[in-house]
Amino acid sequence: MNSRHKKLYKHYEKVFHQKPIFSMKLKDSVAHDKEELSVTTLVFRPTKKTPFWKLCTIGASDYNMPVRDIGCGRYANRRNEYIMFISPDVKVKQSSSDWLKLNALLWMTACYPYNAKTNVTVSDTIDFNLPGKYCGTVLLLPEIIDSPAVTKCYTSTQKFISILQVMPITKEQLSEKLRRGQEGTYWLMEQFYTHNDDYELIHSEPFVHF
């Protein structure tokens, strides 16, 4: 575990006020090539304050993504890690396979920038063209967590790793997003975090279900 990984580990512990109950590492056999990123998922249990499972990656930020201009003189951050929130009804434990398909989506998203040699940021949609319920993911800010500090893990006084929420999406959601054109991105994000006209959060459904 390098210094960046150690800071991420402490960051997650501080945000969720607990230690992970176990971790799982992306196996070499899953990698697309021999130089694939080494990504580990830390699993944090549901609590009274955050009553859902938290899956958090360490390792995706080892890839320094290319520069991306996002307009108005701003640039997307070049190092990301990813988290996924899963309903407490889902069995998440080392001896259970129920959650592994969801974790695989998290890993696919975490490795996507490296494999595609691109930069991803909040509001981006990734279509993996997968069969089954979920075809891909959308990247969100984890607004359900009270502390905004969750979105940035500082590695120095000026450099930080962005922490983005990974939300699986269905083929129907992706099709509707594309049908709506320019407003499709906002529509899709509002399916999980709904805001009023003053952009205050009024409803959220950011948990993954089967």
Side-chain angles (χ1 to χ4, degrees), residues 70-208:
I70 55 176
C72 301
R74 298 179 300 141
Y75 294 87
N77 197 35
R78 298 181 65 187
R79 295 189 188 273
N80 290 345
E81 292 291 347
Y82 306 89
I83 58 179
M84 180 182 286
F85 302 141
I86 298 180
S87 168
D89 297 332
V90 178
K91 290 183 180 180
V92 180
K93 55 184 180 180
Q94 288 175 300
S95 60
S96 172
S97 61
D98 290 354
W99 66 288
L100 292 180
K101 287 185 178 180
L102 299 176
N103 187 55
L105 263 177
L106 178 63
W107 278 345
M108 289 177 70
T109 304
C111 292
Y112 176 79
Y114 174 82
N115 292 329
K117 298 298 181 286
T118 190
N119 185 310
V120 297
T121 190
V122 65
S123 82
D124 282 348
T125 301
I126 306 172
D127 180 12
F128 294 115
N129 197 29
L130 297 172
K133 182 176 181 179
Y134 298 116
C135 68
T137 58
V138 62
L139 300 179
L140 308 170
L141 292 177
E143 296 183 58
I144 196 165
I145 304 299
D146 289 339
S147 173
V150 66
T151 61
K152 294 181 179 181
C153 174
Y154 280 89
T155 55
S156 67
T157 54
Q158 296 183 337
K159 294 183 178 181
F160 62 88
I161 299 167
S162 296
I163 312 294
L164 302 179
Q165 181 182 346
V166 173
M167 191 72 195
I169 56 173
T170 65
K171 290 183 176 68
E172 292 75 18
Q173 288 172 326
L174 179 59
S175 295
E176 181 63 17
K177 182 228 175 188
L178 296 174
R179 187 190 70 80
R180 289 172 175 262
Q182 290 185 339
E183 70 167 17
T185 297
Y186 178 76
W187 172 85
L188 182 59
M189 296 175 70
E190 287 288 298
Q191 302 309 297
F192 309 109
Y193 291 111
T194 305
H195 303 83
N196 60 20
D197 291 340
D198 296 322
Y199 207 71
E200 298 170 328
L201 185 65
I202 57 176
H203 181 68
S204 62
E205 291 188 17
F207 316 136
V208 185

